[in-house]
Amino acid sequence: MTEQQALYKYSLRLGDNALILSARLSEWCSNAPFLEEDLAVTNMALDLIGRAQAMLKYAGEVDGNSKTEDDLAYRRGERDYYNNLIMELPNGDFAYTMVRQLFVSTFELFFYEELQKSTDATLAAIAAKTLKEVKYHHLHAKDWVIRLGDGTEESNRRVQQAVNQLWMYTGELFEMDGTDALLMKDGIAVNAEHLKMGWIQMVTQILALANIELPADGYMQSGSRMGIHTEHLGHILSEMQYLQRAYPDATW
Amino acid sequence: MVVSRFDKEQILDILATIPDPEIPVVNILEMGMVKDVVIGDDGYEVIITPTYSGCPAVGMITADIRSTLEAKGVVPTTVRMVYDPAWTTDWMTDVAKKKLHDYGIAPPLHSSCNDEMLDNNTITCPRCGSERTHLLSRFGSTACKALYKCDACLEPFEYFKCH
Ligand SMILES: [Zn+2]
């Protein structure tokens, strides 16, 4: 693997995470608990689409085969997607979506704080932009998890259940492979393993405020670094890519 | 080769006539979105930066810049988007903040954002000036705004978030 190939894959991974989580959050449009929340969730989805666009555009430039961000979003099969599994899981109930958002945005707080120091100027610039947005996503998710966890017996039960179910997908956020190792040598990639302690601390603190128990560390689900996904990603892609597959090169 | 008939000042004056598509009382210069104008041998380049990465207005702004400049004979023009340094509400001019306020949107509060101040703000109602307001939703009609309600005049209003 050359550094160029690694950078391509790394940018794809970051773009895919944003794109797939955005697709999931968009599903709440007109289905959120109330109107303001509808706006909040879809605005977070919009931030993520913007980030996906920037990352995939850059991936296309690095690759050098004149692929646009749209080509990369609409013309890759699921085995060529590298988003973390947690992004593609179905939304579940609102508590589940917010717990996922808490886990992911907390990770992203730490991750993009580091990535903005990347020696790759483009990744650093996108990271600086992203960090500002992620801070709001994090506040929003944190508020909801505390409000629901510290709410009624029913809402507490649902948050606890979401935490228990999602926990085994959090390990993957910190996983690294040859791509990361190669890019870390030149200060391009973030050492994700180093973020784990901070993440655990922050999540533990928030869950305590929400009267939620931390699950015991157990088996962690994995696979996305190699393009191995749950059965849910294919369904997202079949809907997202339908038009470009049915009518290639269709334009407005 | 293009004869540079327009200098940077003239081009900036033309750009100042382009409104922000989502908040039409302010123009794109006042919002701090135009980073530079480069006059090259083979055309003009306008460098812009997005306010928010997913801002749907960016496509429209790009098209507006091209068509407005073309109509004034500033051709050929390209628009380039840069992310670095990331846009901040600090770049909004005081004139822009005043216009936002008069339009009914509470302008961003701090000259610079620190994390503690992201959320624990007293936002003044742009309609009646009361400080008795509360947050309804951290995301308003667009990602860049939050939704507040005034407890004095009871009107809901938007607050342009610190960024
Ligand atoms: Zn008022």
Side-chain angles (χ1 to χ4, degrees), chain B residues 36-101:
Chain B
D36 204 1
V37 174
V38 181
I39 302 171
D41 288 340
D42 44 9
Y44 304 91
E45 185 180 47
V46 180
I47 299 167
I48 62 169
T49 190
T51 50
Y52 278 65
S53 36
C55 186
V58 166
M60 185 159 171
I61 290 166
T62 305
D64 283 349
I65 291 174
R66 287 237 289 276
S67 63
T68 308
L69 289 177
E70 266 165 33
K72 298 277 184 185
V74 187
V75 282
T77 298
T78 52
V79 180
R80 183 156 63 94
M81 192 157 82
V82 297
Y83 284 91
D84 185 34
W87 183 84
T88 154
T89 39
D90 293 357
W91 295 344
M92 256 189 219
T93 64
D94 288 340
V95 177
K97 289 181 184 174
K98 173 81 172 57
K99 285 182 180 175
L100 283 181
H101 175 271

Side-chain angles (χ1 to χ4, degrees), chain A residues 34 36-37 39-41 43-44 46-51 53-54 57 113 121-122 124-126 128-130 132-133 135-137 139-141 143, chain B residues 49-56 81 83-84 86-89 113 115 118-119 135-145 147 159 161-163:
Chain A
F34 48 88
E36 285 77 12
E37 194 48 39
L39 291 173
V41 177
N43 271 316
M44 290 196 284
L46 193 60
D47 284 343
L48 287 159
I49 275 282
R51 190 200 313 169
Q53 202 174 12
K57 180 170 186 279
E113 179 78 40
T122 307
I126 300 172
K129 186 101 198 133
T130 296
K132 287 165 175 258
E133 295 167 356
K135 285 179 181 171
Y136 282 104
H137 301 182
L139 279 173
H140 193 70
D143 273 6
Chain B
T49 190
T51 50
Y52 278 65
S53 36
C55 186
M81 192 157 82
Y83 284 91
D84 185 34
W87 183 84
T88 154
T89 39
C113 309
D115 292 356
L118 278 184
D119 219 27
L135 179 72
L136 285 181
S137 173
R138 206 167 279 114
F139 298 87
S141 61
T142 59
C144 53
K145 287 173 273 171
L147 200 60
Y159 165 60
K161 286 182 282 188
C162 224
H163 217 58

Side-chain angles (χ1 to χ4, degrees), chain B residues 125-130 132-133 150-155 157:
Chain B
C125 171
R127 293 173 197 278
C128 74
S130 171
R132 288 198 296 127
T133 61
C150 176
D151 298 324
C153 72
L154 303 181
E155 286 289 333
F157 65 91

Side-chain angles (χ1 to χ4, degrees), chain A residues 10 40 46 53 62-63 70-71 79-80 92 101 103 115 121 129 135 138 142 151 153 166 176 190 197 203 233 252:
Chain A
Y10 197 69
L46 193 60
Q53 202 174 12
V62 170
D63 185 42
D70 286 343
D71 294 334
R79 286 302 304 269
D80 296 318
Q101 205 61 33
F103 287 168
L115 191 67
K129 186 101 198 133
K135 285 179 181 171
H138 174 75
K142 175 180 149 187
E153 206 177 300
L166 283 162
M176 300 203 292
V190 172
M197 284 302 283
V203 165
L233 180 65
W252 284 99

Side-chain angles (χ1 to χ4, degrees), chain A:
Chain A
M1 185 165 45
T2 65
E3 187 167 285
Q4 183 197 8
Q5 287 164 333
L7 185 55
Y8 171 66
K9 208 165 165 186
Y10 197 69
S11 316
L12 273 187
R13 192 199 290 167
L14 299 180
D16 290 348
N17 276 333
L19 181 65
I20 299 304
L21 185 57
S22 175
R24 279 302 185 211
L25 288 179
S26 308
E27 292 171 15
W28 279 105
C29 185
S30 81
N31 294 309
F34 48 88
L35 183 63
E36 285 77 12
E37 194 48 39
D38 231 271
L39 291 173
V41 177
T42 46
N43 271 316
M44 290 196 284
L46 193 60
D47 284 343
L48 287 159
I49 275 282
R51 190 200 313 169
Q53 202 174 12
M55 286 293 182
L56 294 182
K57 180 170 186 279
Y58 185 50
E61 284 165 17
V62 170
D63 185 42
N65 284 319
S66 53
K67 280 188 208 134
T68 67
E69 60 272 33
D70 286 343
D71 294 334
L72 289 170
Y74 295 127
R75 295 180 179 193
R76 272 181 303 144
E78 54 189 296
R79 286 302 304 269
D80 296 318
Y81 262 78
Y82 298 106
N83 61 280
N84 292 316
L85 303 178
I86 194 170
M87 313 295 177
E88 70 204 36
L89 298 174
N91 284 336
D93 58 17
F94 188 69
Y96 188 91
T97 297
M98 283 301 133
V99 169
R100 166 171 56 196
Q101 205 61 33
L102 178 71
F103 287 168
V104 172
S105 65
T106 304
F107 171 76
E108 289 180 339
L109 273 187
F110 289 104
F111 182 85
Y112 284 105
E113 179 78 40
E114 290 306 310
L115 191 67
Q116 62 176 347
K117 301 173 204 153
S118 171
T119 52
D120 183 285
T122 307
L123 288 182
I126 300 172
K129 186 101 198 133
T130 296
L131 186 61
K132 287 165 175 258
E133 295 167 356
V134 164
K135 285 179 181 171
Y136 282 104
H137 301 182
H138 174 75
L139 279 173
H140 193 70
K142 175 180 149 187
D143 273 6
W144 268 117
V145 168
I146 294 173
R147 184 171 162 188
L148 294 172
D150 193 28
T152 65
E153 206 177 300
E154 169 75 2
S155 66
N156 174 277
R157 185 186 63 77
R158 290 192 186 213
V159 172
Q160 185 67 62
Q161 188 177 309
V163 167
N164 295 348
Q165 287 173 357
L166 283 162
W167 194 252
M168 69 162 149
Y169 293 95
T170 58
E172 208 189 32
L173 296 168
F174 306 95
E175 246 178 41
M176 300 203 292
D177 62 11
T179 304
D180 301 72
L182 203 153
L183 294 176
M184 266 166 45
K185 275 194 300 193
D186 289 330
I188 296 173
V190 172
N191 188 331
E193 275 169 17
H194 283 183
L195 309 178
K196 195 160 189 175
M197 284 302 283
W199 183 87
I200 294 258
Q201 268 173 16
M202 194 181 278
V203 165
T204 306
Q205 218 172 16
I206 294 168
L207 292 184
L209 290 172
N211 299 321
I212 296 295
E213 281 171 34
L214 207 65
D217 255 334
Y219 172 74
M220 285 290 173
Q221 195 61 256
S222 173
S224 74
R225 294 287 188 273
M226 292 171 298
I228 296 168
H229 291 274
T230 66
E231 71 269 32
H232 306 296
L233 180 65
H235 292 278
I236 296 179
L237 295 184
S238 65
E239 191 177 333
M240 187 199 293
Q241 299 179 336
Y242 170 79
L243 196 119
Q244 279 299 324
R245 295 212 183 264
Y247 306 97
D249 299 320
T251 53
W252 284 99

